[in-house]
Amino acid sequence: MQDRLSALFDHFRLQARVFHVGALCGRAAFDDTSDVGHLHVLRSGRLRLDDADGGQRVLDQPSLIFYARPTAHWIAGEDAAGAELVCASVRIGADMGNPIARSLPPVLVIALDAASGMQATLDLLFDEAFNVRCGRQAALDRLSELLILQLLRHCMTAGTVESGVLAGLADMRLAKALNAIHAQPDAAWTLETMAGTSGMSRARFAEHFRETLGITAGDYLTDWRLSVAKTLLKQGKPVKNIAMNVGYNNASALARAFAARHDGESPTAWLARQG
């Protein structure tokens, strides 16, 4: 069985930082102006979850709540004893416009007893969270990253997402083309070569790709290349070298593609704005 996620994470670094462990008795607010998403793991108690659109739900069983992108939301413990939580900030790649973040809904809520393949990691996470040991913060951060990776697996196998790259990777034919594109963004991809990699005709591939991912194969390829370029920009690589690494003949060609997706902004201007 092919590995459908490793090629993605060869180019994107998944980072989590646990910032809260324990009972939440009051109300905590999170805004959408930062460059991070959030993971909340409810171990016990009742938790109220509110979003900026007025949506509200109360969770009364252990659950995983994942905001892959910066999203305004509020959480509050509903009982006198509070809700017992592990909370982490999350970054996926150089910015939140990458294919993984875009493929997930604004908020994903999964009951822990339905989180297939994650129980051992959850047990380790809670064991580290509620015991004081050397290296606890590093262990919590790495376990949170592993949990998110397992969540992405769950989304593919359980059909949790209906469009985007995770839905595409859940399709064995499209996964062949997507894995190849992810592994080789510098290749001279055409619709014909992508279709051939998937074992489909050009017309069928184009239609099936658009129906499944909600975007054309050509647009996805451009977005993927620019997402990889952003990662390399943040690593301090020269724009000329980046262009060759992501399938453009020169820095000018990369700049044109970048500007078309970023309201005329150049790669170097985008990088400067990242601080």
Side-chain angles (χ1 to χ4, degrees):
M1 181 177 179
Q2 61 179 324
D3 186 336
R4 293 167 284 169
L5 286 175
S6 288
L8 276 168
F9 286 105
D10 282 345
H11 297 284
F12 289 146
R13 184 181 178 190
L14 173 61
Q15 295 175 286
R17 178 72 176 175
V18 171
F19 60 84
H20 172 83
V21 169
L24 176 68
C25 297
R27 188 170 186 258
F30 304 87
D31 62 38
D32 58 0
T33 60
S34 65
D35 62 347
V36 297
H38 288 94
L39 173 71
H40 308 297
V41 187
L42 174 63
R43 186 189 192 194
S44 62
R46 285 165 49 88
L47 183 75
R48 191 177 79 247
L49 183 65
D50 301 310
D51 62 41
D53 296 327
Q56 182 182 109
R57 71 180 88 183
V58 175
L59 305 176
D60 57 5
Q61 60 180 318
S63 301
L64 184 153
I65 306 109
F66 184 46
Y67 293 88
R69 302 179 294 279
T71 306
H73 65 282
W74 298 262
I75 57 175
E78 286 283 274
D79 299 328
E84 197 171 51
L85 290 163
V86 177
C87 300
S89 58
V90 179
R91 286 185 175 87
I92 304 175
D95 75 347
M96 289 300 173
N98 69 74
I100 301 172
R102 288 201 312 268
S103 72
L104 293 169
V107 58
L108 189 62
V109 179
I110 297 175
L112 296 192
D113 61 7
S116 60
M118 296 183 243
Q119 195 56 56
T121 303
L122 287 164
D123 290 343
L124 285 171
L125 180 73
F126 291 142
D127 183 55
E128 288 290 339
F130 297 99
N131 290 284
V132 179
R133 300 189 180 103
C134 295
R136 176 172 175 260
Q137 182 69 53
L140 287 173
D141 294 347
R142 300 296 83 75
L143 286 167
S144 297
E145 291 164 1
L146 177 57
L147 188 62
I148 293 166
L149 181 60
Q150 292 174 334
L151 172 61
L152 298 179
R153 288 180 186 164
H154 174 82
C155 287
M156 290 192 301
T157 58
T160 304
V161 292
E162 297 180 354
S163 65
V165 67
L166 293 180
L169 289 170
D171 183 295
M172 290 304 176
R173 292 177 297 174
L174 292 180
K176 293 177 182 178
L178 286 166
N179 272 344
I181 293 167
H182 294 158
Q184 296 179 289
D186 58 335
W189 292 107
T190 65
L191 191 57
E192 288 77 8
T193 58
M194 287 187 277
T197 302
S198 71
M200 302 170 71
S201 71
R202 181 183 184 278
R204 179 59 185 143
F205 173 80
E207 179 184 10
H208 190 48
F209 194 103
R210 185 176 63 253
E211 289 176 348
T212 304
L213 277 80
I215 187 174
T216 69
D219 282 341
Y220 182 86
L221 175 62
T222 297
D223 288 345
W224 171 247
R225 285 171 165 171
L226 295 182
S227 293
V228 175
K230 289 175 183 177
T231 297
L232 297 175
L233 282 166
K234 282 198 165 184
Q235 292 174 359
K237 306 294 185 184
V239 175
K240 179 180 178 181
N241 292 354
I242 292 173
M244 299 296 291
N245 288 335
V246 297
Y248 293 97
N249 291 330
N250 50 56
S252 296
L254 172 60
R256 287 193 297 272
F258 204 97
R261 286 289 200 278
H262 296 83
D263 297 323
E265 192 172 46
S266 69
T268 51
W270 175 86
L271 181 61
R273 189 164 52 80
Q274 303 310 301

PDB file of all heavy atoms in Angstrom, residues 215-234:
ATOM      1  N   ILE A 215     -11.008  21.546  -7.509  1.00  0.00           N
ATOM      2  CA  ILE A 215     -10.066  22.436  -8.183  1.00  0.00           C
ATOM      3  C   ILE A 215      -9.505  21.673  -9.384  1.00  0.00           C
ATOM      4  O   ILE A 215      -9.466  20.444  -9.370  1.00  0.00           O
ATOM      5  CB  ILE A 215      -8.935  22.864  -7.203  1.00  0.00           C
ATOM      6  CG1 ILE A 215      -8.027  23.929  -7.801  1.00  0.00           C
ATOM      7  CG2 ILE A 215      -8.125  21.650  -6.752  1.00  0.00           C
ATOM      8  CD1 ILE A 215      -6.998  24.460  -6.811  1.00  0.00           C
ATOM      9  N   THR A 216      -9.100  22.380 -10.422  1.00  0.00           N
ATOM     10  CA  THR A 216      -8.510  21.675 -11.560  1.00  0.00           C
ATOM     11  C   THR A 216      -7.121  21.159 -11.211  1.00  0.00           C
ATOM     12  O   THR A 216      -6.461  21.672 -10.302  1.00  0.00           O
ATOM     13  CB  THR A 216      -8.407  22.587 -12.791  1.00  0.00           C
ATOM     14  OG1 THR A 216      -7.413  23.607 -12.541  1.00  0.00           O
ATOM     15  CG2 THR A 216      -9.736  23.237 -13.133  1.00  0.00           C
ATOM     16  N   ALA A 217      -6.675  20.161 -11.956  1.00  0.00           N
ATOM     17  CA  ALA A 217      -5.339  19.604 -11.722  1.00  0.00           C
ATOM     18  C   ALA A 217      -4.264  20.656 -11.946  1.00  0.00           C
ATOM     19  O   ALA A 217      -3.275  20.721 -11.199  1.00  0.00           O
ATOM     20  CB  ALA A 217      -5.110  18.400 -12.624  1.00  0.00           C
ATOM     21  N   GLY A 218      -4.436  21.504 -12.966  1.00  0.00           N
ATOM     22  CA  GLY A 218      -3.453  22.550 -13.238  1.00  0.00           C
ATOM     23  C   GLY A 218      -3.371  23.555 -12.107  1.00  0.00           C
ATOM     24  O   GLY A 218      -2.270  23.982 -11.716  1.00  0.00           O
ATOM     25  N   ASP A 219      -4.523  23.958 -11.576  1.00  0.00           N
ATOM     26  CA  ASP A 219      -4.518  24.916 -10.467  1.00  0.00           C
ATOM     27  C   ASP A 219      -3.931  24.294  -9.205  1.00  0.00           C
ATOM     28  O   ASP A 219      -3.210  24.950  -8.445  1.00  0.00           O
ATOM     29  CB  ASP A 219      -5.934  25.410 -10.184  1.00  0.00           C
ATOM     30  CG  ASP A 219      -6.398  26.453 -11.182  1.00  0.00           C
ATOM     31  OD1 ASP A 219      -5.544  27.053 -11.865  1.00  0.00           O
ATOM     32  OD2 ASP A 219      -7.623  26.669 -11.293  1.00  0.00           O
ATOM     33  N   TYR A 220      -4.226  23.015  -8.986  1.00  0.00           N
ATOM     34  CA  TYR A 220      -3.651  22.349  -7.814  1.00  0.00           C
ATOM     35  C   TYR A 220      -2.132  22.292  -7.927  1.00  0.00           C
ATOM     36  O   TYR A 220      -1.418  22.554  -6.950  1.00  0.00           O
ATOM     37  CB  TYR A 220      -4.204  20.934  -7.648  1.00  0.00           C
ATOM     38  CG  TYR A 220      -3.646  20.269  -6.407  1.00  0.00           C
ATOM     39  CD1 TYR A 220      -4.245  20.461  -5.172  1.00  0.00           C
ATOM     40  CD2 TYR A 220      -2.484  19.494  -6.460  1.00  0.00           C
ATOM     41  CE1 TYR A 220      -3.718  19.894  -4.020  1.00  0.00           C
ATOM     42  CE2 TYR A 220      -1.953  18.924  -5.321  1.00  0.00           C
ATOM     43  CZ  TYR A 220      -2.568  19.129  -4.105  1.00  0.00           C
ATOM     44  OH  TYR A 220      -2.023  18.585  -2.966  1.00  0.00           O
ATOM     45  N   LEU A 221      -1.639  21.965  -9.108  1.00  0.00           N
ATOM     46  CA  LEU A 221      -0.197  21.892  -9.320  1.00  0.00           C
ATOM     47  C   LEU A 221       0.451  23.238  -9.026  1.00  0.00           C
ATOM     48  O   LEU A 221       1.487  23.299  -8.339  1.00  0.00           O
ATOM     49  CB  LEU A 221       0.101  21.457 -10.755  1.00  0.00           C
ATOM     50  CG  LEU A 221       1.578  21.446 -11.184  1.00  0.00           C
ATOM     51  CD1 LEU A 221       2.375  20.461 -10.344  1.00  0.00           C
ATOM     52  CD2 LEU A 221       1.692  21.119 -12.669  1.00  0.00           C
ATOM     53  N   THR A 222      -0.140  24.317  -9.522  1.00  0.00           N
ATOM     54  CA  THR A 222       0.403  25.650  -9.257  1.00  0.00           C
ATOM     55  C   THR A 222       0.389  25.954  -7.766  1.00  0.00           C
ATOM     56  O   THR A 222       1.394  26.430  -7.203  1.00  0.00           O
ATOM     57  CB  THR A 222      -0.408  26.720 -10.009  1.00  0.00           C
ATOM     58  OG1 THR A 222      -0.290  26.498 -11.417  1.00  0.00           O
ATOM     59  CG2 THR A 222       0.093  28.120  -9.685  1.00  0.00           C
ATOM     60  N   ASP A 223      -0.729  25.671  -7.094  1.00  0.00           N
ATOM     61  CA  ASP A 223      -0.819  25.943  -5.660  1.00  0.00           C
ATOM     62  C   ASP A 223       0.199  25.123  -4.876  1.00  0.00           C
ATOM     63  O   ASP A 223       0.813  25.624  -3.916  1.00  0.00           O
ATOM     64  CB  ASP A 223      -2.229  25.626  -5.151  1.00  0.00           C
ATOM     65  CG  ASP A 223      -3.260  26.646  -5.620  1.00  0.00           C
ATOM     66  OD1 ASP A 223      -2.865  27.730  -6.087  1.00  0.00           O
ATOM     67  OD2 ASP A 223      -4.469  26.338  -5.519  1.00  0.00           O
ATOM     68  N   TRP A 224       0.392  23.868  -5.289  1.00  0.00           N
ATOM     69  CA  TRP A 224       1.381  23.021  -4.599  1.00  0.00           C
ATOM     70  C   TRP A 224       2.784  23.579  -4.773  1.00  0.00           C
ATOM     71  O   TRP A 224       3.552  23.687  -3.821  1.00  0.00           O
ATOM     72  CB  TRP A 224       1.291  21.593  -5.120  1.00  0.00           C
ATOM     73  CG  TRP A 224       2.407  20.709  -4.625  1.00  0.00           C
ATOM     74  CD1 TRP A 224       3.407  20.165  -5.363  1.00  0.00           C
ATOM     75  CD2 TRP A 224       2.628  20.293  -3.278  1.00  0.00           C
ATOM     76  NE1 TRP A 224       4.242  19.430  -4.561  1.00  0.00           N
ATOM     77  CE2 TRP A 224       3.796  19.497  -3.275  1.00  0.00           C
ATOM     78  CE3 TRP A 224       1.953  20.512  -2.081  1.00  0.00           C
ATOM     79  CZ2 TRP A 224       4.291  18.919  -2.109  1.00  0.00           C
ATOM     80  CZ3 TRP A 224       2.457  19.935  -0.915  1.00  0.00           C
ATOM     81  CH2 TRP A 224       3.608  19.152  -0.948  1.00  0.00           C
ATOM     82  N   ARG A 225       3.126  23.943  -5.998  1.00  0.00           N
ATOM     83  CA  ARG A 225       4.460  24.486  -6.246  1.00  0.00           C
ATOM     84  C   ARG A 225       4.700  25.756  -5.435  1.00  0.00           C
ATOM     85  O   ARG A 225       5.791  25.946  -4.867  1.00  0.00           O
ATOM     86  CB  ARG A 225       4.624  24.766  -7.739  1.00  0.00           C
ATOM     87  CG  ARG A 225       4.830  23.513  -8.572  1.00  0.00           C
ATOM     88  CD  ARG A 225       4.770  23.792 -10.059  1.00  0.00           C
ATOM     89  NE  ARG A 225       5.311  22.673 -10.833  1.00  0.00           N
ATOM     90  CZ  ARG A 225       5.222  22.569 -12.142  1.00  0.00           C
ATOM     91  NH1 ARG A 225       4.594  23.516 -12.847  1.00  0.00           N
ATOM     92  NH2 ARG A 225       5.747  21.523 -12.768  1.00  0.00           N
ATOM     93  N   LEU A 226       3.706  26.627  -5.356  1.00  0.00           N
ATOM     94  CA  LEU A 226       3.872  27.873  -4.612  1.00  0.00           C
ATOM     95  C   LEU A 226       3.933  27.607  -3.106  1.00  0.00           C
ATOM     96  O   LEU A 226       4.652  28.305  -2.383  1.00  0.00           O
ATOM     97  CB  LEU A 226       2.747  28.853  -4.940  1.00  0.00           C
ATOM     98  CG  LEU A 226       2.714  29.341  -6.388  1.00  0.00           C
ATOM     99  CD1 LEU A 226       1.580  30.338  -6.588  1.00  0.00           C
ATOM    100  CD2 LEU A 226       4.045  29.976  -6.803  1.00  0.00           C
ATOM    101  N   SER A 227       3.210  26.598  -2.627  1.00  0.00           N
ATOM    102  CA  SER A 227       3.299  26.234  -1.214  1.00  0.00           C
ATOM    103  C   SER A 227       4.699  25.740  -0.867  1.00  0.00           C
ATOM    104  O   SER A 227       5.264  26.095   0.172  1.00  0.00           O
ATOM    105  CB  SER A 227       2.264  25.158  -0.880  1.00  0.00           C
ATOM    106  OG  SER A 227       0.959  25.657  -0.983  1.00  0.00           O
ATOM    107  N   VAL A 228       5.274  24.916  -1.747  1.00  0.00           N
ATOM    108  CA  VAL A 228       6.649  24.454  -1.529  1.00  0.00           C
ATOM    109  C   VAL A 228       7.621  25.636  -1.611  1.00  0.00           C
ATOM    110  O   VAL A 228       8.560  25.737  -0.814  1.00  0.00           O
ATOM    111  CB  VAL A 228       7.022  23.370  -2.557  1.00  0.00           C
ATOM    112  CG1 VAL A 228       8.489  22.970  -2.416  1.00  0.00           C
ATOM    113  CG2 VAL A 228       6.129  22.141  -2.390  1.00  0.00           C
ATOM    114  N   ALA A 229       7.384  26.539  -2.549  1.00  0.00           N
ATOM    115  CA  ALA A 229       8.245  27.716  -2.683  1.00  0.00           C
ATOM    116  C   ALA A 229       8.243  28.542  -1.394  1.00  0.00           C
ATOM    117  O   ALA A 229       9.293  29.048  -0.968  1.00  0.00           O
ATOM    118  CB  ALA A 229       7.784  28.572  -3.858  1.00  0.00           C
ATOM    119  N   LYS A 230       7.099  28.674  -0.763  1.00  0.00           N
ATOM    120  CA  LYS A 230       7.021  29.443   0.486  1.00  0.00           C
ATOM    121  C   LYS A 230       7.861  28.787   1.580  1.00  0.00           C
ATOM    122  O   LYS A 230       8.544  29.478   2.346  1.00  0.00           O
ATOM    123  CB  LYS A 230       5.565  29.558   0.935  1.00  0.00           C
ATOM    124  CG  LYS A 230       4.718  30.475   0.076  1.00  0.00           C
ATOM    125  CD  LYS A 230       3.270  30.434   0.526  1.00  0.00           C
ATOM    126  CE  LYS A 230       2.386  31.285  -0.350  1.00  0.00           C
ATOM    127  NZ  LYS A 230       0.962  31.197   0.043  1.00  0.00           N
ATOM    128  N   THR A 231       7.808  27.468   1.654  1.00  0.00           N
ATOM    129  CA  THR A 231       8.636  26.762   2.631  1.00  0.00           C
ATOM    130  C   THR A 231      10.113  27.036   2.381  1.00  0.00           C
ATOM    131  O   THR A 231      10.882  27.319   3.313  1.00  0.00           O
ATOM    132  CB  THR A 231       8.361  25.252   2.565  1.00  0.00           C
ATOM    133  OG1 THR A 231       6.993  25.002   2.914  1.00  0.00           O
ATOM    134  CG2 THR A 231       9.262  24.482   3.514  1.00  0.00           C
ATOM    135  N   LEU A 232      10.525  26.982   1.135  1.00  0.00           N
ATOM    136  CA  LEU A 232      11.930  27.220   0.790  1.00  0.00           C
ATOM    137  C   LEU A 232      12.317  28.683   1.022  1.00  0.00           C
ATOM    138  O   LEU A 232      13.446  28.969   1.433  1.00  0.00           O
ATOM    139  CB  LEU A 232      12.179  26.817  -0.667  1.00  0.00           C
ATOM    140  CG  LEU A 232      11.969  25.331  -0.972  1.00  0.00           C
ATOM    141  CD1 LEU A 232      12.117  25.065  -2.470  1.00  0.00           C
ATOM    142  CD2 LEU A 232      12.949  24.466  -0.185  1.00  0.00           C
ATOM    143  N   LEU A 233      11.407  29.605   0.769  1.00  0.00           N
ATOM    144  CA  LEU A 233      11.673  31.021   1.060  1.00  0.00           C
ATOM    145  C   LEU A 233      11.954  31.212   2.543  1.00  0.00           C
ATOM    146  O   LEU A 233      12.893  31.919   2.924  1.00  0.00           O
ATOM    147  CB  LEU A 233      10.482  31.881   0.643  1.00  0.00           C
ATOM    148  CG  LEU A 233      10.326  32.203  -0.844  1.00  0.00           C
ATOM    149  CD1 LEU A 233       8.935  32.764  -1.120  1.00  0.00           C
ATOM    150  CD2 LEU A 233      11.405  33.197  -1.308  1.00  0.00           C
ATOM    151  N   LYS A 234      11.149  30.577   3.381  1.00  0.00           N
ATOM    152  CA  LYS A 234      11.345  30.713   4.824  1.00  0.00           C
ATOM    153  C   LYS A 234      12.632  30.053   5.302  1.00  0.00           C
ATOM    154  O   LYS A 234      13.142  30.368   6.373  1.00  0.00           O
ATOM    155  CB  LYS A 234      10.137  30.139   5.568  1.00  0.00           C
ATOM    156  CG  LYS A 234       8.945  31.080   5.571  1.00  0.00           C
ATOM    157  CD  LYS A 234       7.953  30.699   6.653  1.00  0.00           C
ATOM    158  CE  LYS A 234       6.968  31.807   6.923  1.00  0.00           C
ATOM    159  NZ  LYS A 234       6.050  31.503   8.043  1.00  0.00           N
TER     160      LYS A 234
END
